[in-house]
Amino acid sequence: MGLPNASEDLSSEMEVDAFRRLFPLRYFERHLAESIRPDARSLSRARNTTISMGAVASADGSALAKIGSTTMLAAIKMEVMTPSLESPDEGCVSIDFHMPPICSPLVRPGRPAEAAPVVAKQLSDTISSSGMINLKELSLVGGKAAWMVYLDIYCLDADGALFDAALLSAVAAFSNLQIPTVSLDDGKIVMLPEEQKEENSEKEPVNKEKRKLTLGGIPFSLTCILHKNYILADPTSEEESIMETLVTVVLDSSNQLVSLYKPGGAVLAYTSAVQDCIALTRQRVKELHQILEEAISGMEID
Amino acid sequence: MAAKPSTTTTAKATYSPIDPTRKTRPPIFSGSDVDWLRPDSRGFHQCRPAFFRTGAVNSASGSAYAEFGNTKVIVSVFGPRESKKAMMYSNIGRLNCNVSYTTFATPIRGQGSDHKDFSSMLHKALEGAIILETFPKTTVDVFALVLESGG
C-alpha cells in the first residue's frame, strides 16, 4: 500500500497512534523484531488471568474468567429431563456461547457474531472429548429422570483469545457446581427447600450424596498466532485482526493432547511450530491449574 | 443476543426442579398495621443500596456496571459511529438502544432475548439527555445486558 519509501519517511514524523492505525503490520513487526509486543509482553507470555467463582448467585454453579481484558461469565443451571432410550442412565450437557452486543463494536443486535457459533462448537467438542464430565453421574432415577446441564457462557468483553477464556470459565463453573438436592414427588422431581430437610422424612432425597461432580481430566487451552517465524501466545483482538493465523492447543491436566485446532491461515505450521505451541501450552496449563486451584480453595474457605 | 442452541440432539423438553407454587409468600398487607416492613425489611421510602462502576468493558467507547440490590446490569455505549441502517442524511444524530437479558437473569432459565419494551423505554429516557445535533449523520449505540433481574 503506497510506496515503501514514503511510509518509512512518514513514520518518523507521524504520531505513534496514527502509525498504529495506518500501518498496523509494520507497527507490530517493528516490535516483534525486538521480541516484544506493544503491551510490553514477551512473545510467549500470556496476559494476567483471574478467575472468580460464584459470580451469579441464582445459578447452580458459575464463574467469571478474565484473561487480560477478555471477560467471560459462565453460569450453569440444572433442569430435569427424561433420558433417551439409547442411554437411559446418562444425563446431558448443553453448552451455549453468546456474544451480546456489549462485548465488542463489531457485534450488532439481531445478527449473531461470526465467532459465536465457532467457539460454541469448539467448546462443546472439547468438553465432551476431554472426558471431564461423566454423564452417568448426571442420572437421577435410571431410565426416568436425569439432569440436563445448561451451561451458558456470555462474553462481556471481547479482546482476543475468546476460546481460551470461555473454556477456562466453563471449567471453573463446573468446579463450582453444587447439584441441588431433589426428591421424587408424584413422579416429578422437585427441589427440596433447605428448611424442610429434617421434617419431611417421607420425601427422601434422591441424590443426597452426589452434590458435586467428579471432574476427570480438566482441559486447559492456549491460542497462539503464527506470523513468519514468530509465535505469539495469547493474542489481543488487535493482534488477531492483523495476523490471522491462529493455532489453539488444548491439553488436559496430565499433559495429554485433547485437541489441536488450526483453521487455515496464511502461515503453514511446520512440525517445529506445532511443537513450540504445545510446549507453550504445557507451561500455560501449569499456571492455569494453579490459578484454578487457588480460586477453588478461596471459595471453600468462605 | 441469544444464538440458537447448538445442540446436535433435538431440543428436549426439560423442566426445572424449582416449584414456584410451593413457596407460600406472606401477604404484604397484613391487616391494619401501619408500620409494617417490606419482605426485605425496608421501609416504604427506602431504596436498595446502589453500586456503580464505570469502565467495565474495555472494548466499548464507554461502559458501566450497575447494581440495585439484586438487579445487576452491564451497559456499553459505542459511538458516534457510522450505521448501516441510517442510509439517509440527517442533520441530527440517531440513538439506538437495545436491552437484552441473559438466560440466567431469572430464577427459572428463560430464553435470553431482546426486550423491545425496555429498549424503547430506555430510548425515551435517554432522548432528552443527549444533544443529537452535536453528531449529525452518525449513530450512538447503547446496549444493556441484564445479568440478574431482581426487580
Side-chain angles (χ1 to χ4, degrees):
Chain A
M1 38 181 238
L3 304 162
N5 285 334
S7 71
E8 292 293 348
D9 291 329
L10 280 175
S11 68
S12 47
E13 291 145 15
M14 205 185 283
E15 274 187 1
V16 175
D17 276 338
F19 188 69
R20 188 178 192 160
R21 292 296 179 99
L22 290 174
F23 307 108
L25 196 52
R26 278 172 190 277
Y27 178 79
F28 273 94
E29 284 182 346
R30 286 268 192 92
H31 286 80
L32 295 179
E34 315 283 333
S35 296
I36 202 147
R37 289 143 97 172
D39 54 358
R41 281 191 286 155
S42 75
L43 299 191
S44 57
R45 198 154 73 81
R47 291 169 285 182
N48 270 347
T49 310
T50 53
I51 302 180
S52 151
M53 313 266 240
V56 177
S58 58
D60 300 311
S62 61
L64 178 76
K66 275 184 80 137
I67 298 187
S69 303
T70 304
T71 310
M72 295 279 169
L73 179 61
I76 298 182
K77 286 231 168 187
M78 316 269 292
E79 296 202 350
V80 184
M81 66 168 198
T82 32
S84 63
L85 294 170
E86 304 94 49
S87 38
D89 55 352
E90 283 185 358
C92 190
V93 176
S94 156
I95 304 181
D96 239 344
F97 178 71
H98 307 253
M99 282 185 73
I102 57 166
C103 72
S104 152
L106 304 170
V107 180
R108 296 284 176 169
R111 297 202 64 184
E114 270 182 26
V118 176
V119 176
K121 182 80 170 72
Q122 261 189 291
L123 268 175
S124 60
D125 284 347
T126 304
I127 291 188
S128 60
S129 64
S130 68
M132 180 171 80
I133 311 281
N134 181 4
L135 292 177
K136 298 212 188 314
E137 286 193 347
L138 296 175
S139 167
L140 278 170
V141 178
K144 300 255 185 55
W147 285 118
M148 168 69 121
V149 178
Y150 285 111
L151 170 66
D152 293 299
I153 304 182
Y154 277 84
C155 179
L156 300 180
D157 195 352
D159 191 21
L162 295 179
F163 175 71
D164 294 344
L167 185 62
L168 190 60
S169 67
V171 161
F174 274 114
S175 311
N176 179 244
L177 179 63
Q178 285 272 75
I179 305 181
T181 18
V182 290
S183 68
L184 205 49
D185 182 16
D186 282 336
K188 230 188 159 214
I189 299 273
V190 187
M191 195 162 89
L192 279 182
E194 290 296 316
E195 319 82 50
Q196 290 182 7
K197 255 204 228 132
E198 284 86 35
E199 304 164 15
N200 265 354
S201 51
E202 68 267 9
K203 293 226 182 77
E204 276 305 308
V206 171
N207 63 342
K208 215 197 309 221
E209 326 81 36
K210 289 180 292 180
R211 298 301 304 279
K212 285 213 143 211
L213 288 181
T214 44
L215 300 179
I218 303 182
F220 294 106
S221 74
L222 178 67
T223 303
C224 303
I225 282 191
L226 302 181
H227 180 69
K228 298 190 181 163
N229 293 341
Y230 305 108
I231 300 183
L232 282 70
D234 190 24
T236 62
S237 58
E238 196 188 347
E239 290 167 354
E240 277 183 1
S241 61
I242 306 167
M243 301 173 271
E244 288 168 351
T245 311
L246 298 174
V247 175
T248 303
V249 179
V250 182
L251 297 178
D252 74 7
S253 31
S254 52
N255 281 335
Q256 303 257 31
L257 181 68
V258 173
S259 96
L260 174 70
Y261 181 71
K262 179 185 185 291
V267 179
L268 300 174
Y270 295 101
T271 324
S272 54
V274 172
Q275 282 173 341
D276 288 339
C277 290
I278 296 184
L280 285 173
T281 313
R282 224 177 278 141
Q283 268 180 329
R284 178 74 171 148
V285 165
K286 286 199 205 110
E287 286 168 23
L288 288 178
H289 197 69
Q290 197 185 14
I291 294 175
L292 185 62
E293 293 292 314
E294 279 170 11
I296 294 177
S297 57
M299 275 298 283
E300 263 150 41
I301 294 173
D302 295 338
Chain B
M1 171 56 213
K4 290 214 172 59
S6 50
T7 45
T8 48
T9 56
T10 52
K12 292 188 171 156
T14 60
Y15 60 90
S16 168
I18 301 175
D19 185 5
T21 57
R22 234 173 172 218
K23 292 199 198 132
T24 48
R25 294 224 209 100
I28 296 189
F29 293 103
S30 53
S32 53
D33 276 13
V34 183
D35 269 330
W36 44 268
L37 293 175
R38 290 147 87 173
D40 52 357
S41 64
R42 281 190 282 150
F44 291 175
H45 297 292
Q46 253 180 302
C47 289
R48 292 172 292 185
F51 172 79
F52 297 98
R53 189 57 50 93
T54 54
V57 176
N58 280 54
S59 318
S61 311
S63 64
Y65 169 73
E67 272 187 28
F68 281 97
N70 273 342
T71 304
K72 303 180 174 114
V73 183
I74 288 194
V75 178
S76 291
V77 176
F78 294 102
R81 59 178 177 178
E82 172 196 334
S83 161
K84 308 286 183 298
K85 273 197 258 183
M87 282 296 140
M88 286 179 22
Y89 172 84
S90 79
N91 55 357
I92 58 170
R94 277 182 66 238
L95 173 65
N96 180 29
C97 294
N98 188 277
V99 178
S100 64
Y101 275 56
T102 55
T103 56
F104 43 84
T106 49
I108 296 193
R109 184 179 186 264
Q111 246 352 61
S113 56
D114 287 4
H115 277 242
K116 295 242 165 64
D117 49 345
F118 284 124
S119 306
S120 58
M121 281 200 268
L122 186 61
H123 192 283
K124 289 233 158 31
L126 290 177
E127 257 178 353
I130 301 184
I131 308 177
L132 290 170
E133 284 82 29
T134 52
F135 48 93
K137 298 193 288 181
T138 53
T139 299
V140 168
D141 290 312
V142 178
F143 299 126
L145 181 70
V146 179
L147 300 176
E148 195 176 331
S149 122

